[in-house]
Amino acid sequence: MKHYKAWLFDMDGTVLNTLDDLSAAMKYALQASGHSTDFGNEATGAFFGSGVTVAITRALAYEKGHTLEELVQVGTAEDAISPTIDQNEVSRIETIYRPYYDAHCLDQTAPYPGIPEAIRTLRGQGIFTAVVSNKPDKAVQALVEEQFEGLFDFSIGEQPGIARKPAPDMIERCLKALGVSAEETVYIGDSEIDLETAANAGLDAIAVSWGFRSRAFLEKLGADPIVDSAAELLEL
């Protein structure tokens, strides 16, 4: 693999294991609004990847009986599920979810094994590092400061006025801030959204198998390479 000047990382499922806190926040918001909370972390992982609104829509679709495999289409051009979900209810739940998660996003979240050390190694080689995530920007900044102080040159999350992934907008803003081109940059993530984002922005991509999507799922998408550990990521 060629030498890149910048390595951009997704957050949830890539650099941070956020499943417990995401699941707790989703269950809190759903219970408070009178919905089922009969799901575990595997389902939570399937809900997230495309921002909070899509995650809540997927949770309500799951409550209605849709399978985890079907939920992948929510938020895509092929989405036939969202029109069946009450978007006013999604918005109501979101007003409960967002402040709760902001207050509790650090409760049980921690980096995946070897990730901080890998990022330090990259920076020691003069490589730029950054986070580009569909997680709300307030949570992204709090988690970067708490878990990765001084390890990222730039970080951006979901915010008004900029299209979320898989649109290339956040990537393009990051590249401009770092002063690098798409050809000099690689994007590392754990989901179909990350692969699509890299393709839309003209970046090469590396998929990780320890996150919210399984290796088998990533292989079906044609992800290549796929790495199983931070050490293997550095070997590239």
Side-chain angles (χ1 to χ4, degrees), residues 1 4 6-15 115 122 127-132 165 171 185-191 194-195 198 203-210 225 227 229 233 236:
M1 183 166 278
Y4 298 98
W7 287 46
L8 315 186
F9 294 85
D10 173 49
M11 179 167 271
D12 293 327
T14 300
V15 296
I115 288 296
L122 292 170
I127 294 169
F128 292 115
T129 57
V131 166
V132 179
K165 301 184 300 181
I171 294 284
T185 305
V186 64
Y187 190 62
I188 300 93
D190 69 309
S191 76
D194 299 318
L195 297 175
L203 273 58
D204 290 337
I206 301 171
V208 304
S209 67
W210 56 75
V227 298
S229 68
L233 181 63
L236 295 177

Side-chain angles (χ1 to χ4, degrees), residues 10 24 37 57 69 76-77 102 114-115 120 126 128 132 135 157 164 184 207 211 224:
D10 173 49
T37 58
T57 302
E69 291 74 19
T76 71
D102 285 344
I115 288 296
R120 288 191 188 96
F128 292 115
V132 179
K135 184 182 222 54
R164 62 172 171 81
E184 298 170 320
D224 183 34

Side-chain angles (χ1 to χ4, degrees), residues 147-234:
Q147 304 285 353
F148 300 102
E149 186 177 5
L151 291 186
F152 288 114
D153 298 291
F154 182 82
S155 56
I156 186 171
E158 180 191 32
Q159 55 190 272
I162 183 166
R164 62 172 171 81
K165 301 184 300 181
D169 301 47
M170 288 197 288
I171 294 284
E172 291 168 354
R173 184 171 293 191
C174 179
L175 297 181
K176 183 176 180 180
L178 297 179
V180 296
S181 68
E183 293 74 22
E184 298 170 320
T185 305
V186 64
Y187 190 62
I188 300 93
D190 69 309
S191 76
E192 71 284 353
I193 296 299
D194 299 318
L195 297 175
E196 292 172 27
T197 301
N200 290 340
L203 273 58
D204 290 337
I206 301 171
V208 304
S209 67
W210 56 75
F212 292 5
R213 305 290 187 269
S214 68
R215 171 177 267 276
F217 179 87
L218 294 169
E219 288 174 346
K220 271 188 185 178
L221 296 177
D224 183 34
I226 304 173
V227 298
D228 299 316
S229 68
E232 188 177 346
L233 181 63
L234 281 181

